[in-house]
Amino acid sequence: MSHSITIRCDICGATHSSSAADSVGALRDVIVQMSWSRARWNGRVIDMCGVCGAREMAPNAPGRRCGSCEGGELFDVLGHDRIGHRLANALLRAGIDNPELLSNFSARQLRDLDGIGAVSAHHALNRLHSTPNERRS
């Protein structure tokens, strides 16, 4: 009987599966060669695909706006940083275009959307329910 092991990027939700890996540890060893990584984020260990890893490691020049930032209330709530911009763009593609609509979703429902992993879903809900002063930190 064969089985498949899948690892999901906790930021964007991308997955990698293997039926050849004997264990999750063996699969992690293989995907490291594909630029996947494990990282600490807000006190948690997350899995990160190569694309998200490259974005997180990219220097963030002061005063430079992200090229994908369309501005607006959703971007303001989620944050004008790499994860906030990626999350807002993923939500816009899913038809969620304002904080009020976002507030109707649970973390599980957000994870079911394309481009949103567990970390992004929790980030969205944490930012949504924080005060403006808490968002700046």
Side-chain angles (χ1 to χ4, degrees):
M1 181 172 135
S2 69
H3 64 281
S4 178
I5 299 173
T6 302
I7 292 185
R8 181 179 173 123
C9 176
D10 288 315
I11 294 179
C12 74
T15 60
H16 181 77
S17 298
S18 174
S19 58
D22 296 337
S23 66
V24 172
L27 180 56
R28 287 189 198 286
D29 290 341
V30 170
I31 65 175
V32 163
Q33 298 168 7
M34 298 168 49
S35 299
W36 279 63
S37 61
R38 299 199 84 194
R40 279 206 163 288
W41 195 79
N42 284 347
R44 295 176 40 201
V45 176
I46 63 170
D47 291 310
M48 196 174 355
C49 70
V51 173
C52 290
R55 286 182 186 145
E56 291 302 312
M57 296 303 182
N60 192 9
R64 187 179 130 254
R65 281 185 63 153
C66 173
S68 64
C69 181
E70 298 174 14
E73 191 177 13
L74 190 59
F75 286 87
D76 292 341
V77 167
L78 297 175
H80 290 281
D81 55 12
R82 286 184 296 271
I83 194 167
H85 288 164
R86 283 195 314 269
L87 180 54
N89 285 322
L91 291 169
L92 288 172
R93 284 190 300 273
I96 302 168
D97 61 356
N98 63 65
E100 293 77 28
L101 188 55
L102 176 59
S103 69
N104 294 324
F105 284 80
S106 69
R108 179 175 293 259
Q109 290 169 318
L110 290 173
R111 285 192 316 260
D112 290 339
L113 301 174
D114 284 337
I116 299 179
V119 169
S120 295
H122 289 289
H123 177 80
L125 296 177
N126 287 341
R127 295 287 295 200
L128 181 66
H129 298 296
S130 66
T131 66
N133 288 338
E134 290 172 333
R135 288 185 201 137
R136 291 183 191 160
S137 54

